[in-house]
Amino acid sequence: MTDRIVMSLEEVDALVRHALEANGASPVQARAVARIVTMAERDICESHGLFRVPGYVASLRSGKVDGKAVPVLSQPAPSVIAVDAKKGFAPLALETGLGPLADLAHETGVAALAVRRCHHFAALWPEVETLAEAGLVGLAVTAATPMVAPAGGTRPLYGTNPVAFAFPRDDQPPMAFDMASAAMARGDIMIHAREAEPVPEGVGIGPDGAPTTDPAAVLAGAQLPFGGYKGAAIALMVELLAGAVIGDLFSFEAGRGLKDGGPPEGGEFVLALDPARFGHGRDWVARAETLFAEIAAIEGTRLPGDRRIANRAKTARDGITAKAPLLAEIRSLAGEPT
Ligand code: NDP
């Protein structure tokens, strides 16, 4: 662990804000991104924590992202909230829309949020957890750039297209899963490439279309969906929800944009449901707990999200550990001594 440096969550948050503001982000955009990055570090989701900061900065420096964008909220239909991110980062646009989305879902039972023209680089569990903490069931999807081959194909077309889902619980954090529809998240393949470690079989194919465990070859070739055609169908659904339904880019269209190593332009679709408005009068939280207890009774199981929640206690106590070269790079981007 000699190449890792211990930091408090407050230090992580301050460093990210500093790096973004030093490169032209407004304090409010920088704060929203720093919050998301710090949450990822808090839960030890390294591929969406500090690792992403050089990319965020690159997209400010290239001018692709408007670091001073002010998201604009609208309500195009009685159950639909829309946020135009104005080409800023996704976290502030999501913060802008989630409160109104939750209010609407409590009122109508079902509501959707369309975040458009944002630059997304983060995990999706923060938004669905926010909804579940407000007593709602949340679902979120976003597309990306072409990285994943459709079933049977050898050329990338879909993004790694994550799906996140959260369900409220009694007196404890929500159950939430958040997963790429690719066999492995892009960030994890990049980390394997940086550390020259092979990826498992089934993660991707090289530029020649042949299966490979070389992460660099996968990055140059195509990732594969999880579960073959089943994961590919989920990736397709994500493209349709986050592209066609909300009126934003498909991954293959976003891939034509500026390649600066930062987050691509695209949208996010978020759905919120209030089970209390479904007219059955049953204690739906208790019903869910019955199912969770049945799962826990089977040896070897855990609920999705349990790893992250357990990590919170650890990082609150011990802080996080950041890789020294990455930290030096971010400090340099922030204009701080390394
Ligand atoms: P993982 O495969 O690591 O985990 C997927 C989900 O499965 C998590 O919710 C995880 O919970 C859960 N899980 C893992 N193991 C078990 C188990 N044994 N029992 C029950 N549940 C389990 O995630 P991915 O690598 O697919 O995705 C990582 C992140 O990348 C996601 O947050 C996703 O949003 C993000 N991403 C973002 C993109 C973007 O464009 N913005 C694109 C693609 C991905 P736990 O966390 O508790 O382990």
Side-chain angles (χ1 to χ4, degrees):
M1 292 281 275
T2 48
D3 67 333
R4 298 192 73 110
I5 293 174
V6 177
M7 297 175 78
S8 70
L9 294 174
E10 292 73 23
E11 286 169 329
V12 171
D13 183 75
L15 176 63
V16 179
R17 276 190 285 123
H18 195 184
L20 296 178
E21 287 186 44
N23 286 281
S26 65
V28 68
Q29 283 277 351
R31 182 199 50 71
V33 172
R35 178 172 165 272
I36 290 297
V37 168
T38 305
M39 287 168 78
E41 290 290 339
R42 178 199 66 187
D43 288 11
I44 315 191
C45 296
E46 237 177 282
S47 61
H48 291 83
L50 288 167
F51 174 67
R52 295 283 165 175
V53 175
Y56 281 116
V57 169
S59 65
L60 289 169
R61 289 187 173 180
S62 73
K64 184 174 77 183
V65 169
D66 180 356
K68 300 194 187 319
V70 178
V72 175
L73 184 76
S74 63
Q75 189 173 352
S79 278
V80 181
I81 300 286
V83 177
D84 182 346
K86 299 278 183 187
K87 301 206 173 198
F89 292 123
L92 184 62
L94 283 159
E95 277 183 21
T96 305
L98 282 174
L101 173 69
D103 291 345
L104 202 52
H106 283 305
E107 189 184 322
T108 63
V110 183
L113 167 66
V115 174
R116 284 196 279 266
R117 295 209 300 163
C118 69
H119 287 85
H120 210 308
F121 220 21
L124 305 187
W125 54 260
E127 39 266 37
V128 290
E129 266 193 4
T130 299
L131 292 171
E133 281 161 7
L136 298 164
V137 177
L139 175 81
V141 300
T142 188
T145 54
M147 293 177 267
V148 176
T154 53
R155 184 166 59 82
L157 180 76
Y158 301 141
T160 45
N161 293 7
V163 177
F165 175 87
F167 202 95
R169 299 195 67 186
D170 254 345
D171 302 324
Q172 50 187 321
M175 186 291 296
F177 71 74
D178 180 13
M179 56 187 195
S181 46
M184 185 180 258
R186 187 80 168 182
D188 284 328
I189 299 177
M190 288 160 76
I191 289 174
H192 278 74
R194 203 180 55 190
E195 293 172 4
E197 283 173 7
V199 292
E201 280 176 23
V203 163
I205 49 181
D208 57 358
T212 178
T213 58
D214 174 358
V218 174
L219 293 172
Q223 291 180 236
L224 293 173
F226 74 79
Y229 60 86
K230 298 182 184 183
I234 290 177
L236 172 59
M237 177 193 76
V238 171
E239 296 284 343
L240 293 171
L241 291 174
V245 170
I246 71 167
D248 214 303
L249 302 178
F250 295 121
S251 296
F252 76 87
E253 294 167 329
R256 294 181 192 135
L258 188 57
K259 290 179 181 58
D260 53 13
E265 184 178 337
E268 180 168 342
F269 172 86
V270 187
L271 187 67
L273 309 174
D274 184 351
R277 305 304 302 267
F278 277 66
H280 48 65
R282 300 186 76 176
D283 185 344
W284 54 276
V285 178
R287 294 277 302 137
E289 291 300 332
T290 304
L291 175 61
F292 297 150
E294 288 289 326
I295 295 168
I298 301 173
E299 200 182 322
T301 66
R302 69 166 173 92
L303 287 182
D306 281 357
R307 179 195 62 87
R308 287 188 303 100
I309 291 161
N311 284 342
R312 286 177 196 176
K314 182 176 178 302
T315 55
R317 187 186 61 234
D318 304 335
I320 63 117
T321 66
K323 293 211 166 86
L326 175 63
L327 202 52
E329 183 184 357
I330 297 171
R331 286 192 172 132
S332 156
L333 294 170
E336 292 180 2
T338 60

